[in-house]
Amino acid sequence: MSSPVRATVVQASNKAEKLLKEAAALGSQLVVFPEAFIGGYPRGHNFADQSPRGKESFRKYHASAINVPDGYTLYCTVLFFDPEGNYLGKHRKLMPTYRERLVWGFGDCSTTPVYDTPYGKLGSVICWENRMPLLRTAMYGKGIEIYCAPSADSGDTWVATMRHVAMEGGCYVLSPIQFCRRKDYPPPPEYLYSPTEEDVTPDSIVWAGGSVIISPTGEVLAGPNYEGEGLFTADLDVRGEIPKAKFMFDVVGHYARPDVLSLTVNNRPLLPVTFTSSPSKIKDDEMDECKDV
C-alpha cells in the first residue's frame, strides 16, 4: 500500500515506476495500487463550493487526472497493463460513494473486464462497490480468479469484507488501501484537511491503510498493515487452491439456483448521445470523452 500522489501526473507516474521496480525486484508478477493512486483521493475537498476558490480547486484536481482519452468528467478508474506496459483496458467505478458523487461520474458495466492472464483471470472492483452483491456476482460469472479491490476504506470491517468476498467468490483477493499522512496533501490555507487543522502535524496519519491479500478460503496471506507505506507480497496458487474452494462452494456453479434466482447484466456502453450514422461497434477510445483518476 502507498499514499496517493497529490501532484502532477509525471510525479505520480515516477512514484509508481519506483514502486513497480521495487516489487519486480521481489519477484512480483502482479502489482496492484490503491484507489485513486494517481490524481489522489479527494479527501478534504469541498466540491459543493461553487465559489471561485472551489472552482479553482476542482480545476487543479482535474489537471492531476489522466486522459482516457480526454474530456471533463472525472471517473474513479482502474487501468490494466500487461507485463510489457501495454494498456489493456479499464474499470470505472459504477457507484461513487457519498460525497465522491460531487466529483466523480458513474461508470457502467461496459468497463467491468476480466482478463485471462498467465497468472489467472484478473479483474477489479473498487472500494465500496465491493458491498454491491450483484456486481460481485457479475464478476464471479465472468470467472474472476484474482479479484483486485483497491480501496480508500481503512475501517475495522474492511478485512472482514475482503475475507467474505474471497470465500464467496472462491478467488484470491488483493486489496491495497491508501496510507496517508497530512504532509501528503497541500499545506494550509490552500488545502484544509479538517476544520481542526491546528491539531494535525505534517506526520499525522490521516488514513491508516490496512492492505490485505486473502486466499480463496478466507485466510489472510499478507497484512493488514497500519504502520506505513509498504509492499505486501504473497504466492498465489490459482490452479491448486481455487478448485479446492470451488469444490465446497461455487456461487455461479453447483451452488447456484438459476431456476429461482438469476442475474441479467447490461454490459453495453450507456451513452448520453447516440448518432444513427455511427458504426454499430463503438471503440473504447471513441466511447465518450472523460478523464480518469
Side-chain angles (χ1 to χ4, degrees), residues 2 49 57 90 101 113 120-121 130 139 149 152 165 172 239 284:
S2 181
D49 180 6
S57 178
K90 63 177 177 260
R101 298 172 200 172
K121 293 182 179 179
N130 289 281
M139 300 303 282
V165 171
Y172 284 97
R239 299 294 172 255
D284 181 66

Side-chain angles (χ1 to χ4, degrees), residues 63-76:
S64 70
I66 297 175
N67 297 333
V68 190
D70 195 10
Y72 296 98
T73 296
L74 298 178
Y75 294 88
C76 181

Side-chain angles (χ1 to χ4, degrees), residues 86-97:
N86 299 308
Y87 171 69
L88 297 176
K90 63 177 177 260
H91 164 57
R92 286 183 181 152
K93 197 172 189 177
L94 286 180
M95 178 55 67
T97 301

Side-chain angles (χ1 to χ4, degrees), residues 1-4 34 43 151-156 158-159 176-182 184-185 193 203-212 224-230 232:
M1 64 185 176
S2 181
S3 60
R43 186 174 293 108
S151 182
D153 188 342
S154 60
D156 295 338
W158 187 251
V159 174
I177 304 173
Q178 302 169 4
F179 178 91
C180 305
R181 298 186 187 274
R182 177 60 185 87
D184 295 320
Y185 291 82
Y193 174 74
D203 287 322
S204 294
I205 296 173
V206 297
W207 216 250
S211 299
V212 290
N225 176 59
Y226 302 98
E227 302 300 323
E229 288 190 351
F232 295 84

